[in-house]
Amino acid sequence: MHRAHRVADQIDAGTVWINAYRAIAPGVPFGGVKHSGIGRENGVEAIRQYTETKSVWVELTGESRDPFAR
């Protein structure tokens, strides 16, 4: 197993199976690297590709605020 993990670490691939094949799970990212695939499927990694961060500030007091005052 140590050798298998060492080799898996050196392989430039999105997925490496050791004594298994086509084992997948919804929470585990799946996809290729370089020209073998575009991005990732499944898990948080896939969601990040379709997400753009946005900040929204809301004044809840109902008063106007001077944007140049601290």
Side-chain angles (χ1 to χ4, degrees):
M1 286 306 292
H2 292 310
R3 181 178 183 188
H5 281 280
R6 236 185 9 258
V7 172
D9 186 50
Q10 295 173 3
I11 295 174
D12 196 13
T15 302
V16 176
W17 288 288
I18 301 171
N19 294 334
Y21 180 63
R22 297 178 76 179
I24 60 171
V28 179
F30 175 83
V33 295
K34 298 182 183 178
H35 295 293
S36 296
I38 300 174
R40 294 285 180 262
E41 299 175 18
N42 300 338
V44 176
E45 297 296 324
I47 294 171
R48 287 187 182 135
Q49 291 182 9
Y50 298 103
T51 304
E52 185 172 323
T53 303
K54 179 187 286 188
S55 297
V56 178
W57 296 80
V58 179
E59 179 62 57
L60 297 176
T61 65
E63 297 181 19
S64 296
R65 185 171 174 268
D66 181 359
F68 302 104
R70 284 186 171 227

